[in-house]
Amino acid sequence: MNDLASEPTARPVIAHIALESAYGAAQAGQTTDALSFWAQANELAERGPTTTHWPDHAGPLTPDQLHRYALCIHHLLGDTRSALHHAGQAAVRAMPTAERRACYRHDSAKLAQDLGDLPRALALLREHEAEAPQDARRSSLRRMVSGILATSPSLPGLRKHAALVGAA
């Protein structure tokens, strides 16, 4: 990997791999590995470039993408302060695709739900549905909405949203 990291066009690809590795390590509860992979991805992103011409490249590596991964990684590791910091750094409206904007909103909604801020979680889920209606009907999102409905059935707008995404 170190040999490839010296190649400018390979750096974004390696950084994407490091981000995925960091996320996987966070899911497995491997804090040191998750943070190490995250730091590696961040360092590679800082060195640039943000784009490459490889055919299966995952797309430009933007600061917003790094913040979205950091939000997820820190949330999984239980570092709420860092997760909130990164959630606040992302420029959602500037993200290049509806898929990325929807993913950010879903990840932020999970964090808000875990923090007990159910009105914020619902607002993010509604924005997600407006941005990517089909994605908002995935089983994981429907389960999330059903969970909120079970704990806060009187939350304004929740029942309507649950019916809209098929979670009621």
Side-chain angles (χ1 to χ4, degrees):
M1 281 256 231
N2 288 336
D3 290 343
L4 285 175
S6 65
E7 294 292 327
T9 57
R11 280 195 287 268
V13 176
I14 296 167
H16 277 283
I17 293 168
L19 287 172
E20 288 293 331
S21 299
Y23 183 72
Q27 286 179 308
Q30 299 171 341
T31 302
T32 302
D33 290 339
L35 296 177
S36 176
F37 282 127
W38 157 250
Q40 181 183 14
N42 201 39
E43 187 269 329
L44 288 167
E46 285 177 2
R47 288 173 55 195
T50 59
T51 61
T52 188
H53 303 289
W54 291 19
D56 9 341
H57 180 251
L61 186 61
T62 64
D64 292 327
Q65 190 174 18
L66 290 165
H67 287 302
R68 186 178 75 79
Y69 269 92
L71 177 166
C72 297
I73 291 162
H74 291 292
H75 182 208
L76 285 167
L77 295 175
D79 183 353
T80 304
R81 180 177 293 164
S82 292
L84 285 169
H85 166 77
H86 287 286
Q89 296 300 307
V92 184
R93 288 177 177 78
M95 291 180 182
T97 65
E99 181 266 339
R100 284 203 183 162
R101 291 186 295 272
C103 284
Y104 166 81
R105 288 185 176 109
H106 179 207
D107 296 334
S108 295
K110 286 190 287 189
L111 178 60
Q113 180 186 24
D114 287 354
L115 292 172
D117 188 351
L118 300 183
R120 177 74 179 138
L122 177 59
L124 288 160
L125 290 170
R126 292 172 82 174
E127 290 173 13
H128 178 267
E129 194 282 330
E131 184 85 54
Q134 289 179 316
D135 188 66
R137 286 156 179 80
R138 282 188 298 126
S139 60
S140 63
L141 281 120
R142 286 195 320 265
R143 279 191 306 273
M144 185 177 177
V145 172
S146 293
I148 296 171
L149 190 58
T151 60
S152 297
S154 61
L155 184 63
L158 178 58
R159 288 192 185 279
K160 182 178 177 182
H161 182 73
L164 181 65
V165 299

